[in-house]
Amino acid sequence: MTVARRELLLGSAVVGLVGGIAPMPVFAARRRPADGAGALPMPEPVDTLPAALPVQDAARVLMDRGWMFHEGDVEPAPLETHDATYASVKAGNARGAAAVDFDDSDWQSVDLPHDWASFQPFEKTANVAQGYRARGIGWYRRTFRLDPALRGRRIELEFGGVATNSTVWVNGSVVSHNFSGYSAIRIDLTPFARFGDEANVVAVRVDANAMEGWWYEGAGLYRHVWLGDYAAVSIATDGVHGDPRRRADGGWHVPLTTTLTSIAPTETPVTVEARLLDPQGRVVATGQAQASVPSLDEGTATLDLPVSDPTLWSIERPTLYTLHVRLLRDGQLADERRVPIGFRTIRFDADKGFFLNEKPVKLKGVCLHQDHAGVGTAIPDALIGWRLERLKAMGCNAVRSSHNAPTPELLDWCDRLGLVVMDENRQFNPAPEFRAQLEWLVRRDRNHPSVILWSVFNEEPMQGTPSGVEMVKRMAHWVRALDDSRPVTAAMNGAFFNPINVAQVVDVTGFNYYQGDYDRYHQLNPTKPMTSSEDTSAFMTRGAFESDPARHIASSYDDEAASWGATHRVAWKKIADRPYVVGGFVWTGFDYHGEPTPYEWPTIASFFGIMDLCGFPKTAFDIHRAAWVDDEAVVAIAPHWTWPGREGKPTKVMVLSNAERVVLRLNGKTMGEAAVNRLMGNEWTVPYAPGRIEAIAYRGGREVARTAHETTGAPVALRLTPARTVMAGDTEDAQAITIDAVDAKGRHVPTANLMTRFTIEGGAIIGVGNGDPNSHEPEKGNQRSLFNGLAQMIVRPDTGRGRITIRATADGLKPATLRLDRLGVAPRAQVPVAAGDMDLRDWRRSERQDARPSPDFAPASNDNNGWAFVKAGTPTPAEAAGYRVYRTVMTPRHAVAARGGEIRFASVGGMASLWVDGKMVAEKRDPQPGPLVAPLAPGVGKRTIVLIVAGLGNIESGLLGRVSVRDR
């Protein structure tokens, strides 16, 4: 066994390399006690930071900071006049919370990712599948400015994921309706953008009452938001497709297609250059292609990069290369991308299963939903990586994104950790909207070497009908048109033997359960590869070893499963015993909020996980380690050995191992010895006696591993154990901190159930949990009960170099203090939040008047033609001397309404008088362009602003610049 593999299995943090991508993750070893007696059931902390995820597109900047959030809907005021109705349906004139000038100053300021459902209490009347949490409707707003130098460039706004249905406005115009919480929303901001002093306002209405799934989906802007700034001719988002292929002679090449997009006024010739960099940053191949991009359209450039002998990407050694693609216009760099790719072959064989690089690999996979204790679906990038490390540590090599497009950071981590992925589509529907979602998924993810399968649906009732077949035919065709290197599957839960069923038109048949039909299906379809796309559905409550249905507790002896599933051991044995079954995906890797099964209220989460909501291991973790880890000796015991009052009673002991023989000893006395049953484990019944129970594993007559549990005393102190001793001072990093109680000998007490309280300096606690699927304690705040010995907090650092200090207390116990180094890692760039001045952009302008008009002069009701609609900053051209009236109606923000403020005209051309609610408040006597500033008295409600301008006839006049209202 290599050192790297051993360190990988023990748990890890990635170390980055300068100038390239590490040829494989480098993991810092986590020290463990020699026999595990009294040890915390979590890895020892490491002392390094994980490497930053790749930056593929440097033109994109995060826009995660400074969002204003309002929980609940915001109804606009009723439309009272024809004029108001007329204006309300015009571009840029959104009403209510979508309006540019809406006052959001009393909304809550939040940073992304943000899941407002994770803040909600559990309510019996709320939807059971969504975990008894109310979701409802919420609003987000964000204000920013664009440098005038960006005029003529393409500006793109991307929301990574919004749960669930959303409408987006930019500067008062609707720019998107999106009806999926899992697909990105990409908006060409260019036609709507404002530059310079004029701020841009993004408003998002989120309807989280809409549900796509039958599990907890969260609510709000739960993934990153990006703002991209591109040249007029640039590389399209997800426009680079580099697909390494092996030639018949054994050599390799990378066919490269680059999609280009243009907002230039004419067709534009460009050059695309490509360099392939090896993991050390050395150039190993280059190429160049010419293309012509039509105006306001797309073009493509294709080329091919020969590669003689690349290092292959594999589960054990996930080696990544980088495609550096540059777009040149007139010889100058216009755009570029750095896309990680991997060289590997995949093959699915109907008799022998899955082959990676022509080596057989059994898929030892899990299904994942995208939520975690304390944070819901708003999982920080680093925590996603930590969750995947926990899976890798038990020998898992495959992940299924259930049942939706994953966040792209999950795939980035899988590329680096060596986990293969079944990438799954959410909506089974070939209508145009859903076709677009499917094609987006494939375009976004097709460069990831970790992705080996496209799944077009999960458990659809139409799977055995002609209509279902027609739907899948189309969906599979669209997938293959974009990526013909990976097979298409569908996760079916029946209809396998219908005369017409969708398995006939996919490349790999996916079995959700129905494990008793494996052999029959294979006999009837001997040329069709098949995999278990979902299996097991077993129940365990972490740390409990006796079922108690009245208290909604399931034993962790692996003897409970859903009627449609099987225990962990039985389900895997059915897969392991059949070489023609590619592998399996256990339902599930972690417990998840919602879909409480087999119990409902007051249960609020599932019992399915190999690990609980916090990533704490159940017995299933060691069951799978024994079955899945091949290159390290494994031995584990269940249950723990602290059972006061059970003395002398028969107690079942499970020993899980991948060795040849195991010996079980209790207080030095041998209680049993047997050949290892790797898949089913070994069991003995022994009379419980306090002390030490241990298992020793042998191979070839030599001891290769041992483990033990000891009976612990009463808890006397708390302990805090981080995943890492260091954090990045960038406000984005996050990690899980374990809280447990120890006895007088420093041993973990697995039966402790008591309230713990926390304080933190130098960081923030963004969530808490304990893995109890029946707990209704808040997942936000500074306290959490230990559940069967364990609790967790998710910590985020403050900015800059320093120290994070966490303290934990509990009544009657010695408190714990943890100090973490906060390293001076620069935060990623963020789009700055614009100052909170209110812009008065929209005005009505009268026709020229020979005589000075009264400030009461106004357009007649229903007059949408006699008075022009003008924007601040739009000059009135030089004309004959005379007067024009500029009018607007505004509602001051709360602070201005309460305390007063001032109106600021950056530049007015001509002599002018300013009137507010019929009273003159300022006058400008100089006809040359210049500023005008006037006080605005306190007052609530609508205020009428009138500017009467006298033009001299020889210069531009009127509103030459920005008009704003600011707080005093």
Side-chain angles (χ1 to χ4, degrees), residues 523-537:
Q523 291 167 1
L524 294 175
N525 302 273
T527 63
K528 176 73 74 172
M530 59 184 291
T531 188
S532 169
S533 43
E534 185 175 320
D535 53 71
T536 310
S537 280

Side-chain angles (χ1 to χ4, degrees), residues 312 314 316 345 347 353-362:
L312 301 187
S314 66
E316 297 78 16
T345 63
R347 180 166 62 87
F354 174 63
F355 288 78
L356 180 63
N357 302 324
E358 292 305 318
K359 296 179 180 178
V361 175
K362 200 78 165 179

